[in-house]
Amino acid sequence: MPAVTTTDRRAVTEAPIEEILSMRWSPRSFDRDAVVTDEQVTSLLEAARWAASASNSQARRFIVGRRGTATFDRIEQHLMGFNRSWAPNASLLVLAIAVTAPEDPEASATPYRWSEYDTGQSMANLASQAHALGLHAHPMGGIEVEAMRQEFDLPERYVPITVTAVGTVASPDLLPERYRLRETAERTRLPLDELVLARD
Ligand SMILES: Cc1cc2nc3c(=O)[nH]c(=O)nc-3n(C[C@H](O)[C@H](O)[C@H](O)COP(=O)(O)O)c2cc1C
């Protein structure tokens, strides 16, 4: 069977949007032989670093491992269910952590109420940068939060949110059927008039 390429899964949009937004998608089939360079990893992290955050609190931290390193293996073993079968083929795993409170509560009037939002913003930036580098990113919420916290000896106020797999997309033929079909299916979203509650 010829390999199907799924590198173009452009979103069908109701109005033009930037190509980097329409072309980004989250594959599960990654090329196990591909590597990301140190420079690429730094670019991805810079993109995450420069995302907006509430009061510029930057209430997010990252733990990053390239495949073949101990850090990659430590992140990988706390992925849940099916994530554990496909994500290890990626070239890089990025654990995104929300910092839910400042180290010294006296020094700040409010807890970091928007830390999960801030973390998501940074990972969206990272995904866009991955696309710009010719890579793909796939976020996963299916992770063992407590085990991850213990693995990396994180304090209570550091909450693991997602692990994002980054790498080079590979043929969907490498996946079991159920997931192979998802890899090539049309990408869908709620229509704007369902998504937007009010618009004048
Ligand atoms: C916070 C978050 C958690 C997710 N968790 C998982 C996950 O555990 N496993 C998985 O295969 N995909 C996961 N996804 C990927 C979504 O299923 C995917 O983004 C969605 O179906 C839209 O597809 P697209 O990214 O290709 O546009 C997650 C995405 C986000 C943003």
Side-chain angles (χ1 to χ4, degrees):
M1 191 166 45
V4 185
T5 64
T6 55
T7 44
D8 185 349
R9 293 191 72 210
R10 183 189 295 269
V12 177
T13 60
E14 296 177 27
I17 61 173
E18 288 300 312
E19 181 149 307
I20 207 160
L21 302 176
S22 61
M23 294 293 281
R24 180 218 59 82
W25 67 284
S26 310
R28 291 190 180 83
S29 186
F30 282 103
D31 178 355
R32 209 177 156 74
D33 295 328
V35 290
V36 284
T37 64
D38 237 355
E39 199 182 353
Q40 286 175 319
V41 175
T42 305
S43 289
L44 294 168
L45 295 172
E46 277 293 347
R49 176 182 172 224
W50 283 98
S53 68
S55 304
N56 203 20
S57 56
Q58 303 162 73
R60 53 201 174 209
R61 297 291 184 270
F62 310 102
I63 294 177
V64 184
R66 288 201 275 171
R67 199 180 51 251
T69 66
T71 304
F72 184 100
D73 295 344
R74 290 172 73 193
I75 298 173
E76 185 242 294
Q77 65 178 322
H78 302 298
L79 299 178
M80 286 169 65
F82 186 63
N83 288 340
R84 250 199 115 175
S85 72
W86 60 265
N89 290 332
S91 310
L92 182 78
L93 294 177
V94 180
L95 169 61
I97 298 158
V99 182
T100 58
E103 189 171 5
D104 176 8
E106 306 288 310
S108 176
T110 52
Y112 292 162
R113 184 160 93 73
W114 297 280
S115 61
E116 290 191 20
Y117 185 98
D118 294 348
T119 304
Q121 291 263 72
S122 64
M123 296 314 290
N125 265 22
L126 182 143
S128 296
Q129 185 64 34
H131 185 83
L133 294 170
L135 302 167
H136 282 75
H138 191 139
M140 290 166 278
I143 63 173
E144 298 167 345
V145 172
E146 242 348 279
M148 201 73 88
R149 196 207 298 273
Q150 282 173 26
E151 179 70 44
F152 292 103
D153 201 17
L154 302 174
E156 193 79 355
R157 63 196 182 84
Y158 279 34
V159 179
I161 302 294
T162 53
V163 169
T164 294
V166 181
T168 300
V169 70
S171 168
D173 297 348
L174 301 173
L175 294 172
E177 188 182 359
R178 183 170 157 217
Y179 292 95
R180 190 185 321 145
L181 296 177
R182 281 203 207 171
E183 206 83 343
T184 50
E186 189 189 344
R187 296 178 56 230
T188 60
R189 290 298 189 267
L190 295 173
L192 274 182
D193 57 10
E194 199 175 325
L195 201 61
V196 179
L197 300 181
R199 171 177 169 173
D200 283 318

